[in-house]
Amino acid sequence: MSSTTTLQKEGSPTGDPGEGQPSDGLKAGLKNRHLSMIAIGGVIGAGLFVGSGGGIAKTGPAILLSYALVGAMVVFVMRMLGEMAAASPNSGSFSAYADRALGRWAGFSIGWLYWFFWVVVLAVEATAGAVILESWVPAVPQWAWALIVMAVLTVTNLGSVASYGEFEFWFAGIKVVAIGGFVIVGMLAVFGVLPGSDNPGAGFAHLTDTGGFMPNGWGSVLTGVLMVVFSFMGSEIVTLAAGESEDPRRAVTKATNSVIWRIGVFYLGSIFIVLTLLPWNDKSITEKGSYVAALDSIGIAHAGQIMNVIVLTAVLSCLNSGLYTASRMAFSLGERGDAPKSFAKVNKRGVPLAAILGSVVFGFAAVYFNYAFKDTVFSFLLNASGAIALFVWLVICLTQLRMRGILMREAPEKVTVKMWFFPYLTWATAAMITFVLGYMVYDKDNRETVLLSLLVAAVVIAIGVVRDLRRKAALKASASASNSASV
């Protein structure tokens, strides 16, 4: 097996926004259809299927406002990220852009925090998938199923970027078809025109007939925001994957422009169907899950098992993308000298072998902690990574404020996607994210998560700043020695 080192000179641009083969050693193995489905499926996580019931129970029909607020925030963040990624596609995405715009310490910090977030997610999703698989084949213990799904998807990612793309194409396709079918069938049932439906179809009456549209007040909408915000994570994956696509700029532009309808249909559309098929306080929504309850009300046979298959698909999709994302971020960090140099090497298939294995090892360790030390070590890892998604979005906002000027000075013709109402909407989005983080501190159920995440972030930032200061001191000493020698 041959390897090629792809380290660039420190401070040099991290990629050329041109088409064709990536300049960083990775291979353009993702087809346009792969990127399209990754972009669509990236916003449909397992959290949408299993976490929406709790939000509905807390907030009522007004949970639609919670989803709309978070959805708008994600749309704005993706627009900012799309602006930078379309101009300069890179496997490090926002970490590489933060490196240029805010400083080496910022790229280092957010890159490692994002890597940490995804390797912990690997354990969470592997366990969720194992629970479903064990219910089908109880002879195999849950921990063994978790290891099996991790191992299978590791092999997939080690094969080539094309195999990752193909698996994700089908995983995402199943999710898209399932949600699309649910919305269509549900809408027919809502108006009482679905043949054989057990639901009489109340139209839009259930949105207001049980305590009104906002039965628990405005405060519940904010609580709903905290409950749904994490189900949106993953939308930014397409900007990392674009660096290994046939036409990076086109892929990023298309994904950025379509994020509005994706969130509108898959999140707002499907939750709207649930709320119009059943009263928001129907106990089956929390007991069975919102989608299973809705399907049961229509009279769909074996709704629970159907949803288990869909949730398992979503879990495997998240695992597949999580491993890919973590490894590409590790690769980018290695390429910039912020991780072991071996992470920046690719084999003859263009796969960053060491970056993948390094991420998998931590993922397997997290799975072990989940079973051996669930209430101590794993609980800490889970809480310490819980708010990192919001940190990433905030850094994207701050980076875009600086990157717009850099891009307009260096290559204005490459800024083909632009953030709306810049810089005002960027600042407003950053303020909204900051408000959500502040409200998490105020909310007792989320306080530990955000405080532990802030603690981990502070440690990583401190390491990044110290590394940056040492690097600058070394460069200064080198320059001084060079000047002395020339005299």
Side-chain angles (χ1 to χ4, degrees):
M1 180 175 65
S2 63
S3 296
T4 55
T5 305
T6 58
L7 287 169
Q8 295 174 310
K9 291 182 180 179
E10 206 165 77
S12 66
T14 52
D16 190 335
E19 283 77 22
Q21 191 74 7
S23 62
D24 52 11
L26 300 172
K27 288 189 176 180
L30 293 175
K31 295 179 170 57
N32 288 330
R33 67 182 178 88
H34 293 150
L35 262 293
S36 295
M37 200 56 78
I38 289 170
I40 294 172
V43 297
I44 310 174
L48 173 62
F49 299 106
V50 299
S52 54
I56 292 172
K58 285 273 188 180
T59 311
I63 192 69
L64 288 170
L65 296 180
S66 303
Y67 274 102
L69 287 170
V70 179
M73 188 165 67
V74 173
V75 167
F76 298 149
V77 169
M78 279 299 295
R79 188 74 186 182
M80 296 176 224
L81 186 54
E83 176 180 300
M84 297 181 285
S88 181
N90 189 279
S91 59
S93 188
F94 49 83
S95 173
Y97 308 140
D99 198 305
R100 290 193 66 194
L102 304 177
R104 291 293 301 274
W105 65 271
F108 171 91
S109 302
I110 203 62
W112 277 114
L113 286 172
Y114 194 65
W115 178 86
F116 173 58
F117 170 82
W118 278 110
V119 292
V120 173
V121 166
L122 292 180
V124 174
E125 299 295 340
T127 303
V131 170
I132 296 173
L133 290 167
E134 186 190 31
S135 70
W136 294 342
V137 188
V140 179
Q142 192 181 114
W143 64 266
W145 277 122
L147 295 180
I148 288 169
V149 294
M150 282 275 288
V152 169
L153 293 176
T154 298
V155 171
T156 299
N157 277 264
L158 287 173
S160 68
V161 69
S163 36
Y164 154 73
E166 199 63 32
F167 268 77
E168 192 57 26
F169 176 82
W170 292 106
F171 286 152
I174 292 171
K175 292 189 292 183
V176 169
V177 169
I179 291 289
F182 175 80
V183 170
I184 293 171
V185 171
M187 188 59 74
L188 293 174
V190 166
F191 292 104
V193 295
L194 181 69
S197 174
D198 294 342
N199 192 304
F204 301 144
H206 288 321
L207 294 176
T208 56
D209 64 5
T210 312
F213 181 74
M214 200 178 293
N216 297 321
W218 275 102
S220 66
V221 175
L222 295 177
T223 301
V225 166
L226 300 187
M227 298 184 75
V228 307
V229 66
F230 301 108
S231 65
F232 281 83
M233 274 308 293
S235 54
E236 70 288 335
I237 291 174
V238 68
T239 63
L240 282 80
E244 294 177 82
S245 69
E246 298 170 334
D247 189 347
R249 186 181 293 120
R250 178 177 177 273
V252 169
T253 302
K254 186 177 179 181
T256 302
N257 290 335
S258 65
V259 70
I260 296 176
W261 73 259
R262 287 186 276 131
I263 289 175
V265 172
F266 299 128
Y267 279 86
L268 291 174
S270 61
I271 297 299
F272 177 81
I273 293 300
V274 172
L275 291 167
T276 48
L277 283 174
L278 293 166
W280 67 271
N281 58 354
D282 191 303
K283 291 182 179 180
S284 65
I285 291 178
T286 51
E287 290 174 356
K288 300 178 181 179
S290 54
Y291 292 87
V292 173
L295 291 172
D296 276 344
S297 77
I298 297 172
I300 302 295
H302 310 295
Q305 287 304 320
I306 292 172
M307 194 51 59
N308 274 341
V309 172
I310 296 169
V311 171
L312 179 62
T313 302
V315 164
L316 294 177
S317 172
C318 189
L319 262 173
N320 194 38
S321 289
L323 180 53
Y324 172 83
T325 304
S327 65
R328 286 341 184 246
M329 186 58 74
F331 168 84
S332 179
L333 288 165
E335 190 181 35
R336 287 175 275 146
D338 290 332
K341 290 183 178 181
S342 60
F343 282 8
K345 294 180 178 180
V346 297
N347 61 20
K348 60 185 179 182
R349 295 186 302 276
V351 173
L353 188 64
I356 291 175
L357 293 177
S359 302
V360 167
V361 166
F362 195 98
F364 274 114
V367 169
Y368 169 74
F369 291 142
N370 190 20
Y371 288 100
F373 308 102
K374 184 173 184 177
D375 296 326
T376 53
V377 179
F378 188 73
S379 177
F380 170 79
L381 292 176
L382 200 59
N383 284 311
S385 64
I388 287 175
L390 291 167
F391 298 164
V392 168
W393 293 348
L394 184 59
V395 167
I396 289 172
C397 295
L398 301 178
T399 300
Q400 193 260 338
L401 287 167
R402 296 287 301 275
M403 276 296 287
R404 168 67 73 87
I406 294 172
L407 292 171
M408 293 304 290
R409 285 195 304 271
E410 294 182 356
E413 73 281 358
K414 293 172 182 174
V415 185
T416 55
V417 176
K418 287 188 177 182
M419 176 60 182
W420 307 297
F421 303 109
F422 177 83
Y424 309 108
L425 195 51
T426 300
W427 279 116
T429 306
M432 184 178 178
I433 295 169
T434 304
F435 173 79
V436 172
L437 285 168
Y439 194 74
M440 286 180 71
V441 175
Y442 170 78
D443 184 79
K444 59 181 175 59
D445 293 332
N446 290 279
R447 188 175 300 139
E448 182 180 8
T449 294
V450 72
L451 291 178
L452 282 177
S453 295
L454 284 170
L455 174 63
V456 171
V459 170
V460 176
I461 289 172
I463 294 172
V465 170
V466 169
R467 282 174 55 89
D468 205 14
L469 290 174
R470 287 180 175 177
R471 179 185 63 84
K472 289 177 179 178
L475 289 173
K476 187 176 180 180
S478 179
S480 177
S482 179
N483 290 335
S484 299
S486 62
V487 172

